[in-house]
DNA sequence: CGGGGATTTGACACATATCAAGAGCGGTGG
DNA sequence: CCACCGCTCTTGATATGTGTCAAATCCCCG
């Protein structure tokens, strides 16, 4: 922790105004909006917070911000001041290596929180880009810190959200470290399906918001490999895919794809059980 | 959040006794120990906390626990109750896939915090294993929650620690997703070197606590590939390696290894700059 | 209707996995 | 003290999955 940061830690922290950057970028919602009346309350940061905290909750989110497709919510190097909850739309976060190589570290949809990687470094370390026209709730980090003092539940909930992000990344590490191309894509599709389901969309039919290249970047594969895997799944009757439109035809088949090495793929018995 | 969890979140949380599990496993230090007098204070969770918080700090860690080499600190599925700070020794955390494949998700040395992945799921999701005789400070999570209410600085510091874990994992994702074998090993060695340095050990000479297989698991490589990369580095005069003993001879050379594709490796100019 | 990015598909290259054998090292017990 | 055993590590030969390069097609969007 830097000396400055240590000072900040003990200074009284006033409720912040809207961060200058956000105002400068325009697109601030005209009317402040509140968690308490938000349809995503149960799947977002305030998840699980009870009625008695509702009034406080409304202090959490001060503004929303709209982004057009392709626009950056924040960039690596930007000063960290707020977290962002996706209200609508779809984002990717991209981390860049000094030599120019980069990788998509996550895709984020409604109710998910972005920007937590900035708390430690006090600077955003990745870029967040809207993959379609989107809207986010701006949650000034100092609000979380302040409200967290009195709201045990919010404090705990916030810890959980960060912890889940760590767990998610463990899963990605496993995927990148141990899975083959088709397994990775199957895992990815099933994960998307599950997240869409949780938001009330169809579990079996959806439009991808990202390109093959972005999928590949996330999965540690080249776009051609992703494309081939899609084709293979279609040949095998597991999915139907046309450009960005995906329909999952055989969930069990996809699950079977996960967790098997290539030479096992052909030896799967008819009842769908893996051969031990 | 489950209903139970929501209840817990609002229930008054008493200062917990020593977790039953830790007592049952024995090896609880006889005398409670305190952060305020700990040599690792500046590199551990309390980093940056000032004098006025010292008294409170001492409530943070209740016990220590000793582990022999090979012993598990916690296992996937164990109920989550505490975080652990490495006081001495060396740990690996391993995550396992349903089909039996597993991966080392991290190596942890003095001052580093383990177990944060358990907060969200309320269950540990990976195994933590001592790679040498080690000692950890047991930090009951409820203490952090309680002390965090009054100690703004601790709350913030804890967020930072979690955030840094997220950032670390982003780095691993990049490594796994975009780097070639030798780059991965170079990155790994330089990272180790840096962490040893920060703890007052030699930056250029150290003993690996883990096997080639464990390194490979962490880096998404097979042990043979790790071994070959070690040999290659030695041939090139970048390191000297004998079994677990490693000496870094050419830091710049290792850094040059990172961030280049194989066909670039031979085209590196004499002054060590990469060819654009 | 045109243009440019996205996607698909093929042929081939190459990095790493796999399989295999042997050497080195450390601990144990006679 | 030495011999043995098991585990780790190294090294070689070969297999294979994915990357690379290239070309054609598709499709969205202006």
């Amino acid at each position: 922790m830097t000396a400055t940061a240590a000072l900040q830690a003990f200074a009284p922290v006033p409720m912040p105004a809207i961060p200058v950057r956000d105002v400068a970028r325009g697109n601030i919602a005209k009317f402040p909006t509140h968690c308490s009346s938000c349809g995503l309350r149960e799947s977002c940061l305030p998840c699980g917070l009870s009625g008695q905290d509702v009034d406080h909750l409304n202090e959490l989110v001060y503004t929303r911000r709209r982004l057009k497709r392709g626009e950056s919510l924040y960039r690596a190097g930007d000063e960290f001041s707020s977290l962002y909850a996706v209200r609508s739309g779809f984002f990717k976060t991209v981390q860049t290596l000094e030599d120019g190589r980069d990788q998509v570290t996550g895709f984020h949809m409604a109710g998910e929180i972005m920007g937590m990687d900035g708390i430690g470094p006090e600077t955003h370390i990745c870029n967040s880009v809207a993959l379609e026209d989107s809207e986010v709730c701006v949650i000034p980090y100092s609000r979380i810190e302040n409200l967290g003092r009195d709201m045990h539940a919010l404090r705990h909930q916030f810890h959980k959200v960060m912890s889940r992000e760590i767990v998610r990344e463990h899963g990605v590490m496993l995927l990148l470290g141990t899975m083959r191309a088709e397994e990775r894509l199957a895992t990815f599709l099933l994960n998307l399906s599950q997240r869409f389901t949780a938001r009330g969309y169809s579990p079996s039919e959806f439009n991808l918001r990202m390109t093959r290249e972005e999928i590949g970047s996330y999965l540690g594969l080249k776009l051609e490999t992703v494309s081939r895997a899609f084709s293979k799944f279609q040949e095998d009757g597991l999915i139907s895919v046309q450009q960005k439109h995906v329909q999952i035809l055989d969930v069990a088949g996809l699950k079977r794809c996960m967790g098997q090495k290539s030479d096992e793929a052909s030896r799967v018995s008819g009842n769908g059980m893996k051969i031990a």
Side-chain angles (χ1 to χ4, degrees), chain A:
Chain A
M1 189 190 249
T2 63
T4 315
L7 282 177
Q8 286 175 354
F10 288 101
V13 180
M15 279 294 170
I18 300 171
V20 176
R21 194 173 52 260
D22 289 322
V23 174
R25 283 182 180 160
N27 289 323
I28 296 293
K30 272 182 191 151
F31 305 103
T33 48
H34 297 311
C35 289
S36 54
S37 57
C38 175
L40 291 167
R41 184 147 72 102
E42 284 309 309
S43 58
C44 192
L45 183 58
C47 153
L49 300 193
S50 73
Q52 70 189 92
D53 287 315
V54 165
D55 293 344
H56 296 296
L57 262 188
N58 292 340
E59 296 169 26
L60 196 59
V61 172
Y62 204 75
T63 57
R64 291 198 188 145
R65 197 174 137 200
R66 283 184 218 281
L67 293 99
K68 287 192 291 255
R69 180 179 162 183
E71 221 180 320
S72 281
L73 176 59
Y74 54 81
R75 293 170 204 271
D78 284 358
E79 185 199 348
F80 169 77
S81 65
S82 300
L83 301 176
Y84 302 90
V86 181
R87 168 130 179 98
S88 68
F90 209 89
F91 288 81
K92 68 171 176 181
T93 44
V94 181
Q95 187 144 14
T96 304
L97 223 52
E98 310 76 49
D99 62 11
R101 278 181 294 190
D102 58 15
Q103 181 166 31
V104 172
T105 53
F107 295 108
H108 309 275
M109 57 178 81
E112 296 175 346
I113 310 292
M114 298 182 290
M116 294 176 291
D117 49 271
I119 299 173
E122 297 179 16
T123 282
H124 286 290
I125 55 138
C126 59
N127 303 326
S128 176
V129 180
L131 293 179
E132 59 184 25
D133 294 357
S134 302
E135 192 176 19
V136 296
C137 295
V138 179
I139 310 175
Y141 174 63
S142 51
R143 295 278 173 96
I144 293 182
E145 291 249 306
N146 283 330
L147 289 175
R149 177 166 41 221
D150 301 318
M151 289 173 67
H152 177 108
L154 175 64
R155 207 158 68 235
H156 185 57
Q157 185 58 27
F158 180 55
H159 294 167
K160 284 192 156 197
V161 168
M162 292 197 84
S163 168
R164 290 206 195 95
E165 176 68 8
I166 291 172
V167 171
R168 181 187 74 82
E169 298 194 356
H170 279 184
V172 177
M173 285 171 60
L174 245 157
L175 177 143
L176 291 171
T178 71
M179 290 187 184
R180 296 172 351 85
E182 284 172 26
E183 295 180 70
R184 296 186 197 188
L185 186 63
T187 305
F188 174 70
L189 289 175
L190 289 170
N191 175 265
L192 271 189
S193 160
Q194 183 196 311
R195 285 154 75 197
F196 281 127
T197 308
R199 284 161 182 76
Y201 298 106
S202 165
S204 59
E205 198 170 356
F206 45 83
N207 283 299
L208 299 171
R209 271 71 170 188
M210 68 297 278
T211 66
R212 301 288 188 265
E213 185 167 21
E214 286 161 341
I215 296 173
S217 172
Y218 181 62
L219 299 178
L221 301 169
K222 292 296 162 182
L223 67 95
E224 294 95 329
T225 307
V226 174
S227 178
R228 276 185 245 269
F230 269 119
S231 301
K232 178 69 164 26
F233 285 164
Q234 183 155 244
E235 273 175 43
D236 295 351
L238 301 178
I239 66 173
S240 150
V241 54
Q242 271 181 315
Q243 301 291 126
K244 304 238 198 272
H245 184 82
V246 173
Q247 195 172 356
I248 297 181
L249 303 174
D250 182 357
V251 175
L254 279 180
K255 283 189 180 151
R256 235 176 293 139
C257 261
M258 298 168 51
Q260 44 186 256
K261 311 181 59 170
S262 59
D263 59 343
E264 288 172 0
S266 50
R267 290 195 281 115
V268 172
S269 59
N271 62 13
M273 300 302 293
K274 275 182 288 181
I275 294 173

